[in-house]
Amino acid sequence: MKKIGFIDFYLDEWHANNYPNWIRENARESGRDIEVAYAWAETDLEGGLDTVSWCEKQQVQELSSIEEVVVKSDYLIVLSPDHPEHHERLGQIPLMSGKPVYMDKTFSPDLETGKRMFELAEQYGTPLFSSSALRFSTELSNYKKDEKQLEYVATTGPGTFKNYAVHQFEMIVSLMGVGAKRVKSLSTNHVNLLHVEYDNGSQASFSQIQHAEFQVHLQFDNGEGVWIPQCSDMFPRLVDSVLTFFETGASPVPKAETLEVMALLDAGKKALETRDTWIDVK
């Protein structure tokens, strides 16, 4: 039985509350001999379950330190999805372990932190993978960026920029690849509207509207267009991709694409501060 260890800022959060069951479901369906066995969290969510109670509920063994989780586990998941500012610190020992590490979205608070984490993982031969679940939706998987030339991608979605922008940028990068040149904001008080230009002349737009569904419009350079009105099955497909990554050590998402998402987040933050001004993607 292969053992997965969770490392989190606090465990009573949506991803940690759902991943164990999704992993069990995948193991039953695929025949994988794997389970979430261990967990450690730095603190407890105020008003939520403490670590002891969370572990009892999830039937996971609480361990006393990150080091202990790393030693006992075959595979490691660093969570803290809504607090990526803790990823570098929480991930330091896992990234030096040589064991496959899945790091939850958003990968890093900025591009430079993301580069440092990849450099540390590479120094110690640690396989590293991070992604938003949205790129794994059934609908997006039908459109590979090397099959037709995309002229334009338009995404919509809900939430705040801090926690949810990663989802739309992940969709854009999964379709467009790397090469974003600059970003401009044409936002209003309640809508984040970003425009992205690429080195090859392609473009993308990002609309963040409260209660909007995650949707994608694709325009190909042959004149064909596609509307993707929903993104489904992303979490089962993400979990399957994570477990395959653990088994193979090969990330399904190139490092360059993960860092491109971080670069777009950096540029997007700056663009939102200065309306109608181009910000270079660096």
Side-chain angles (χ1 to χ4, degrees):
M1 174 72 75
K2 295 294 186 180
K3 309 290 188 181
I4 299 172
F6 277 14
I7 296 165
D8 211 338
F9 183 49
Y10 53 78
L11 283 160
D12 191 10
E13 44 90 358
W14 195 83
H15 285 196
N17 287 335
N18 285 283
Y19 281 175
N21 188 52
W22 290 336
I23 290 170
R24 291 186 194 107
E25 289 176 355
N26 183 283
R28 285 195 300 269
E29 293 170 2
S30 67
R32 286 183 165 110
D33 195 18
I34 192 169
E35 68 174 359
V36 179
Y38 309 116
W40 175 90
E42 185 172 65
T43 189
D44 297 326
L45 175 64
E46 185 176 353
L49 289 178
D50 58 28
T51 299
V52 172
S53 301
W54 185 93
C55 287
E56 289 176 352
K57 180 179 179 180
Q58 296 289 345
Q59 299 179 326
V60 171
Q61 182 181 352
E62 179 192 7
L63 297 183
S64 62
S65 65
I66 293 177
E67 291 89 342
E68 190 177 11
V69 175
V70 170
V71 168
K72 290 189 173 183
S73 301
D74 298 291
Y75 312 126
L76 301 162
I77 295 181
V78 178
L79 293 139
S80 192
D82 291 331
H83 297 279
E85 65 272 18
H86 301 305
H87 278 169
E88 185 174 26
R89 178 170 49 81
L90 295 176
Q92 182 178 17
I93 295 171
L95 293 178
M96 296 168 65
S97 71
K99 298 178 179 181
V101 175
Y102 173 72
M103 190 168 287
D104 214 343
K105 66 84 184 167
T106 303
F107 178 58
S108 59
D110 52 61
L111 177 61
E112 291 308 311
T113 302
K115 288 180 178 179
R116 286 198 302 269
M117 289 193 290
F118 269 113
E119 288 169 2
L120 182 63
E122 289 164 1
Q123 180 183 346
Y124 287 89
T126 300
L128 175 59
F129 161 38
S130 180
S131 180
S132 155
L134 265 295
R135 78 153 56 217
F136 292 99
S137 68
T138 299
E139 293 78 14
L140 261 66
S141 71
N142 292 329
Y143 299 95
K144 305 299 183 183
K145 53 182 175 289
D146 58 353
E147 291 178 355
K148 297 178 185 178
Q149 179 61 47
L150 277 165
E151 180 180 305
Y152 193 91
V153 170
T155 64
T156 62
T160 63
F161 190 86
K162 179 179 183 295
N163 291 343
Y164 276 77
V166 64
H167 296 306
Q168 290 193 58
F169 281 135
E170 195 81 50
M171 292 192 291
I172 288 170
V173 172
S174 72
L175 292 162
M176 301 288 277
V178 300
K181 181 179 180 180
R182 58 183 186 171
V183 177
K184 178 189 283 193
S185 169
L186 295 173
S187 304
T188 67
N189 288 337
H190 301 292
V191 175
N192 291 328
L193 176 60
L194 298 174
H195 192 81
V196 184
E197 286 192 346
Y198 283 79
D199 288 333
N200 65 0
S202 299
Q203 300 179 40
S205 64
F206 162 121
S207 299
Q208 195 168 43
I209 305 169
Q210 296 310 305
H211 306 299
E213 297 291 334
F214 284 112
Q215 297 182 344
V216 186
H217 287 80
L218 307 178
Q219 177 63 57
F220 298 99
D221 65 357
N222 64 359
E224 295 178 12
V226 175
W227 175 42
I228 300 175
Q230 64 178 359
C231 295
S232 62
D233 297 325
M234 58 274 229
F235 282 109
R237 292 168 63 89
L238 169 65
V239 167
D240 188 69
S241 295
V242 170
L243 298 184
T244 300
F245 160 70
F246 285 158
E247 294 167 339
T248 65
S251 173
V253 179
K255 165 188 169 182
E257 291 193 6
T258 297
L259 293 180
E260 177 95 347
V261 173
M262 299 308 109
L264 283 166
L265 287 169
D266 279 358
K269 290 174 193 173
K270 293 178 182 177
L272 289 174
E273 295 170 358
T274 311
R275 191 178 189 278
D276 201 13
T277 301
W278 286 113
I279 303 295
D280 290 339
V281 178
K282 299 178 180 179

